[in-house]
Amino acid sequence: MNRALTVLSLALLGSAHAATLTLWTSFEAAGELAWIKAQAAAFEKATGHKVNVVSVPFAQTQDKFIQSAPKGQGPDLIATEPHDRLGRYAASGVIEPMDKYITSKADLDKTALSAFTYQGKLFGLPLNAEAVALVYNRALVPQAPTTWDAFLRAAKANTGNGRFGYLSDIAEPYKSYGFVSAYGGYVFRNNGGTLDTKDIGLDNAGTAKALGFLNDLRYKYGLVAEGVSQDAAKSAFVDGRLAMFYTGPWDMGDIKKAGIDYGILPFPTPPGATGKWSPFVGVRGILVSAYSKNKTVAVQMARQLTSSASQLSFNQANGSIPTSLSARAKLRADPVVAGFGRAVALGTPMPNIPQMGAVWGPWAAATAQGVQKANQPYSDLLKKAVTEIESNINK
């Protein structure tokens, strides 16, 4: 037996003794807490390893872990963390790279895997994902509007007499990114899994066209009136007065309660776009501590939590969109999973590096200004925003 295989065998044998893992979770909802505790119990029964589940408030998890892990006081793994926190964790050296433990990634959504990749390395295992999509009322829009022309016809046919054809908070940059991407814009250039903070695409011609498109939704097409908030749009949809609503899975509980017969699909490619609509995707997953004394067992637990079977049970607990492709396939009759799953597959992960914190404020200000009145100087607004972003990054 060669030396590499011997070392691997010894590592696996070393995990055969009963270990005790500490798992931090910020889950608060009853169904999610019950799920993680059931997973811990199942892992204990199957492996003989003990799992202590500790609740830590979401707002405290990141700082507490970064400070405590190097002292040997942190958890062995966390379930779950959003991927946009990943960069700070990885840069702090407190989370374990996962590539050497994961032999096959074929069942995991590529967008979700990309979300947990930092500087070319996989630093976590994705559990569930979310993205915005177009939710439409079948009573008002009988045929799915899969093209821009079909969308515009449906929107105009349902605008007026107390009804609305389409509503969204067009000043919110998170929701607008799908259009930015369609027209060729981006936040940071992605070079093989590494985001280049010196190559910002929010002031290029594509992003200017996207901002112009958002402006057109209000002033050219007359669809989104000034002052429309996301809550107002949701209220109109659940009341049956809105034909098409641009939102994410977080609003589906209220829509289901209202008894709306709905469909969900990716937003159609906007007019004149060179690419397809690709929304921001948020992913939550499992992180393993780089300081864990039981890494092999912690990874084993992380793999169980993100297995297809576990993702199916997590969906039953909270309706989340699995990152496991086989789990999604088994849930293909669920319109929420199928609809938003397509949006996730088409999407782009939100940047997971700390520098993204410098982006939101200036980008939001430029977007809000760009839709305040018709025919704004889009390029100038965006160039000003990027100058401020670069200044913020360099502070």
Side-chain angles (χ1 to χ4, degrees), residues 51-291:
V51 183
N52 291 325
V53 177
V54 179
S55 291
V56 178
F58 178 74
Q60 299 175 19
T61 304
Q62 191 173 39
D63 287 341
K64 193 172 182 179
F65 182 46
I66 289 172
Q67 292 163 11
S68 63
K71 301 174 186 176
Q73 299 170 351
D76 295 282
L77 68 168
I78 305 179
T80 60
E81 283 290 271
H83 84 271
D84 55 348
R85 286 184 168 189
L86 188 78
R88 186 178 170 211
Y89 280 128
S92 300
V94 296
I95 53 176
E96 179 75 1
M98 303 293 282
D99 295 281
K100 64 183 177 183
Y101 302 103
I102 309 304
T103 56
S104 175
K105 304 170 188 174
D107 187 48
L108 291 172
D109 182 285
K110 289 181 181 179
T111 303
L113 284 170
S114 177
F116 274 90
T117 299
Y118 177 79
Q119 294 187 349
K121 295 181 180 178
L122 183 68
F123 275 98
L125 293 183
L127 175 63
N128 64 294
E130 62 185 21
V132 292
L134 188 66
V135 184
Y136 64 98
N137 184 332
R138 293 184 189 275
L140 303 177
V141 186
Q143 296 283 342
T146 57
T147 66
W148 169 251
D149 288 343
F151 167 87
L152 191 57
R153 283 195 304 271
K156 288 184 174 180
N158 285 284
T159 298
N161 298 318
R163 288 208 317 235
F164 305 92
Y166 170 78
L167 290 177
S168 174
D169 182 357
I170 59 174
E172 212 283 303
Y174 169 83
K175 294 184 182 69
S176 72
Y177 184 78
F179 309 118
V180 170
S181 181
Y183 285 105
Y186 52 92
V187 181
F188 301 117
R189 177 74 71 183
N190 190 326
N191 295 321
T194 298
L195 297 175
D196 185 353
T197 59
K198 296 187 183 302
D199 187 345
I200 301 172
L202 289 177
D203 61 348
N204 69 10
T207 308
K209 287 180 181 178
L211 189 49
F213 169 71
L214 294 172
N215 186 284
D216 284 347
L217 288 173
R218 173 166 290 163
Y219 297 105
K220 179 178 178 180
Y221 304 115
L223 298 178
V224 185
E226 273 188 80
V228 171
S229 67
Q230 198 69 8
D231 285 342
K234 181 172 79 170
S235 178
F237 194 81
V238 298
D239 288 345
R241 296 179 292 113
L242 173 60
M244 294 179 288
F245 180 33
Y246 191 59
T247 191
W250 48 83
D251 280 329
M252 295 312 298
D254 291 332
I255 290 170
K256 288 178 179 179
K257 285 178 188 175
I260 302 294
D261 181 14
Y262 62 86
I264 305 170
L265 75 161
F267 197 97
T269 302
T274 55
K276 289 185 177 181
W277 170 84
S278 178
F280 264 157
V281 175
V283 186
R284 295 185 75 100
I286 317 300
L287 305 180
V288 171
S289 173
Y291 291 89

Side-chain angles (χ1 to χ4, degrees), residues 14 36 76 97 157 185 200 207 237-238 243 283 292 302 305 315 330-331 333 353 355 357 368:
I36 197 70
D76 295 282
I200 301 172
T207 308
F237 194 81
V238 298
V283 186
S292 171
L305 290 169
N315 168 267
K330 290 176 182 176
L331 293 167
I353 56 177
Q355 290 88 338

Side-chain angles (χ1 to χ4, degrees), residues 313-363:
S313 64
F314 194 53
N315 168 267
Q316 292 167 4
N318 68 357
S320 62
I321 316 302
T323 58
S324 160
L325 300 180
S326 59
R328 255 188 232 166
K330 290 176 182 176
L331 293 167
R332 58 183 172 271
D334 182 329
V336 173
V337 172
F340 288 111
R342 285 193 294 270
V344 167
L346 288 170
T348 302
M350 278 189 297
N352 60 15
I353 56 177
Q355 290 88 338
M356 189 61 190
V359 173
W360 292 113
W363 184 17

